Amino acid sequence: MPVRVRFAPSPTGHLHVGGARTAIFNWLFARHNGGELIIRVEDTDQARSTIESEAMVLDDLRWLGLEWEEGPDVGGPHAPYRQSERIDTYSDAAQRLLASGAAYRCFCTEEALEAKRKVAEAEGRPPHYDLTCHRLTPQQISARLASWMPFALRFHVPDDGDVTIDDLIRGQVTWRKESLGDFILVRSDGLPTYNFSVVVDDHDMEISDVIRAEEHLTNTHRQVLIYRALGWDVPRFAHVSLILGPDRSKLSKRHGATSVSAYADEGFLPDAMVNYLILLGWSTPDGREIFDAQYAIENFSLDRVNSAPAVFDRQKLEWLNGQYIHAMSAAALRPMVRRYIEADVPDAWLDDAIELVKKSVDRLTQFPDQLHFVWRFDAASPSRSVDRAFLKALETEFDASGVPVDADGYQAMVERLKAATGLKGKSLFMPLRMAVTGVEHGPELVRALPLLENGSRVDPSIVSPRERVRRIADLLPS
Ligand code: GLU
């Protein structure tokens, strides 16, 4: 059987990191096995599902670099790929289950069911359905139908309702029949429940392996019973563990950003994000932590996916993202950095600027901070720490020899300043840095000073080093 897997998002918001990781594992599994990835949109929760959310989720998946063979956007042989458009398919399966006696019509009202649940709870019994409608005679059923009583379709848990699966991540999992009451397949409004539609779709779409979040593990009992009742092959299952926050509770908004797009907005790179999410559960056979998609595809297997929960570690993600940024060429970073830089500077100059600061950056959004000294010069703070004699020497140097535009020119300038001021080491470089950049800490001066001089020649909004010195001098008490 060819490998066919699916990612089945419910379109009720942005793609979450947990969903993204599930999608990535499905994608890796499909690619590793030469199989196919299907995107199926589970939008039968009409109150919460939106088409806008579906578009956002698909955008988020594309941003991560995932590709799929079939889905609502690309179509495919099993279209439609939105559950809301597949109601007829569920009806057919429902009819079969009704005809075979595996399911029955339940006329109980929500209020009646609620009351029964309360009684069961008070008596310390599990809140299982009491089978009232399973016991209806054909005559009673006909009478109810004749009076247009609304009904749901309920699955009857059979006597041989024990289920054992061999989960590809968690190993053998067994459920006893007694743990389950008869459950709803189709609600009285005609919409299928999740457990029903997922089985019909996974069968219809010829899914071989169901890789999904651990929270669906308990649903698997019901789903396997439905497969059996319909006489269908049961797919293999793999339930991926939860992602926890640092306090080991389920990752949620309390812990910070949870949606993929929020991480994109914060300046994380898709490749780093994918790398990090893969590490939340999968460990590489050779222990490496930084790898590209190709490596992950070649080496991926579910038996290296950890069955214990993974803890989302923002610091590690930042570190990893930094590693990606540091390893990228300025030219590759340039289009991304431009989004955060207002000034319209030439590529060559911007590449120099990126090269100068990229090692201090872990996220793209930090580039403006690191380049603050270029566009946001404020003479006030250096005017408090640089003395007039030093400024005078610097002015004289700049006027006589010009401002250096490369490393050689910078070295020559430093030698002349030493001679002129008698200063060396920190007492020379600190005031020099303050006078030129306006701040105490920043990139190496040997590159920052030429960068500023060259920048002022191509962008009028960059204050030249000579002008900086003049502005500081203007603020000094005479
Ligand atoms: N639609 C479900 C969810 O968003 C996924 C169900 C499944 O993978 O079986 O969690």
Side-chain angles (χ1 to χ4, degrees):
M1 188 164 156
V3 163
R4 284 174 57 85
V5 292
R6 84 310 193 266
F7 176 60
S10 302
T12 56
H14 267 292
L15 178 65
H16 279 226
V17 289
R21 186 191 54 170
T22 302
I24 293 167
F25 281 5
N26 273 287
W27 172 67
L28 292 176
F29 187 79
R31 294 293 167 269
H32 179 85
N33 292 295
E36 282 156 353
L37 173 61
I38 291 98
I39 305 289
R40 183 179 67 233
V41 176
E42 309 214 315
D43 59 348
T44 53
D45 182 347
Q46 291 183 320
R48 297 177 63 223
S49 305
T50 65
I51 194 80
E52 292 77 21
S53 162
E54 176 191 310
M56 292 191 302
V57 169
L58 295 185
D59 276 349
D60 294 338
L61 291 170
R62 282 187 212 104
W63 179 80
L64 289 167
L66 270 55
E67 290 168 332
W68 46 94
E69 280 64 39
E70 297 168 34
D73 55 334
V74 291
H78 300 276
Y81 292 92
R82 274 183 207 106
Q83 290 190 325
S84 60
E85 297 167 8
R86 301 176 57 78
I87 301 299
D88 290 348
T89 320
Y90 311 130
S91 302
D92 292 347
Q95 287 308 322
R96 282 186 51 202
L97 291 172
L98 188 59
S100 72
Y104 56 94
R105 295 185 184 88
C106 178
F107 299 91
C108 294
T109 62
E110 200 40 61
E111 298 74 50
L113 293 170
E114 188 50 38
K116 288 175 192 183
R117 270 195 292 268
K118 286 226 173 77
V119 174
E121 202 180 309
E123 294 174 0
R125 286 183 286 117
H128 293 166
Y129 181 59
D130 68 358
L131 302 180
T132 304
C133 288
H134 189 243
R135 286 187 294 259
L136 293 178
T137 63
Q139 290 76 9
Q140 288 172 313
I141 295 172
S142 301
R144 283 167 171 71
L145 289 176
S147 62
W148 296 99
M149 268 179 85
F151 61 87
L153 189 70
R154 203 180 268 281
F155 186 86
H156 182 57
V157 178
D159 290 340
D160 56 351
D162 289 358
V163 164
T164 295
I165 61 162
D166 223 335
D167 190 280
L168 297 174
I169 294 172
R170 332 191 81 75
Q172 238 180 39
V173 185
T174 296
W175 296 273
R176 296 276 165 241
K177 165 200 176 330
E178 295 71 32
S179 63
L180 217 53
D182 286 4
F183 56 90
I184 303 285
L185 298 175
V186 182
R187 298 187 191 89
S188 56
D189 61 6
L191 287 177
T193 57
Y194 155 71
N195 281 306
F196 185 43
S197 53
V198 86
V199 167
V200 174
D201 286 342
D202 284 342
H203 169 76
D204 221 64
M205 297 178 178
E206 300 176 78
I207 299 304
S208 61
D209 297 84
V210 171
I211 305 169
R212 63 183 171 194
E214 183 183 2
E215 60 194 356
H216 292 295
L217 181 63
T218 53
N219 292 322
T220 311
H221 187 187
R222 292 180 181 82
Q223 292 173 14
V224 170
L225 292 179
I226 300 172
Y227 278 103
R228 284 186 192 163
L230 285 162
W232 291 342
D233 288 339
V234 179
R236 287 179 294 260
F237 291 99
H239 288 92
V240 186
S241 297
L242 286 178
I243 299 181
L244 307 180
D247 60 357
R248 300 197 67 86
S249 68
K250 190 174 178 219
L251 187 69
S252 74
K253 288 237 166 64
R254 284 185 300 113
H255 298 111
T258 53
S259 75
V260 168
S261 66
Y263 284 94
D265 292 345
E266 287 186 42
F268 288 93
L269 297 169
D271 291 356
M273 205 67 207
V274 168
N275 187 156
Y276 181 69
L277 290 174
I278 293 174
L279 286 175
L280 282 184
W282 186 62
S283 53
T284 55
D286 56 9
R288 78 177 74 174
E289 295 208 297
I290 302 179
F291 47 79
D292 60 12
Q294 200 47 46
Y295 171 89
I297 287 169
E298 273 163 29
N299 292 283
F300 189 76
S301 69
L302 288 171
D303 53 28
R304 295 197 64 83
V305 173
N306 198 336
S307 61
V311 175
F312 193 91
D313 179 350
R314 162 98 191 193
Q315 249 110 51
K316 180 151 182 193
L317 171 60
E318 297 234 3
W319 168 82
L320 193 67
N321 202 60
Q323 299 303 304
Y324 273 78
I325 290 177
H326 307 168
M328 279 171 80
S329 71
L333 285 164
R334 192 201 309 137
M336 306 180 201
V337 174
R338 277 219 186 268
R339 291 206 295 270
Y340 302 99
I341 303 277
E342 281 163 42
D344 183 22
V345 282
D347 286 349
W349 182 87
L350 185 54
D351 286 358
D352 284 348
I354 292 172
E355 209 50 70
L356 177 60
V357 300
K358 74 176 186 188
K359 288 267 167 33
S360 317
V361 166
D362 285 335
R363 289 184 283 122
L364 295 172
T365 47
Q366 292 166 342
F367 272 104
D369 270 356
Q370 291 298 322
L371 291 171
H372 199 84
F373 74 95
V374 174
W375 284 282
R376 303 265 182 273
F377 175 72
D378 174 12
S381 105
S383 74
R384 287 189 287 269
S385 56
V386 180
D387 68 36
R388 184 169 285 284
F390 181 80
L391 270 192
K392 189 82 214 136
L394 196 53
E395 263 184 327
T396 308
E397 162 64 27
F398 283 169
D399 288 342
S401 311
V403 180
V405 291
D406 56 30
D408 287 347
Y410 174 85
Q411 294 307 349
M413 177 201 77
V414 167
E415 291 314 315
R416 285 189 299 269
L417 276 177
K418 274 185 189 162
T421 61
L423 300 170
K424 57 183 194 305
K426 203 171 170 224
S427 44
L428 172 66
F429 291 107
M430 207 46 177
L432 180 59
R433 174 179 292 283
M434 284 301 285
V436 170
T437 67
V439 285
E440 260 175 67
H441 302 288
E444 326 163 67
L445 270 180
V446 57
R447 293 161 73 195
L449 182 53
L451 184 82
L452 287 170
E453 177 60 15
N454 289 326
S456 70
R457 295 177 188 185
V458 295
D459 177 359
S461 70
I462 299 175
V463 179
S464 72
R466 179 65 188 83
E467 174 62 18
R468 291 176 182 216
V469 172
R470 198 182 337 269
R471 289 189 191 176
I472 301 168
D474 280 351
L475 292 180
L476 290 186
S478 44

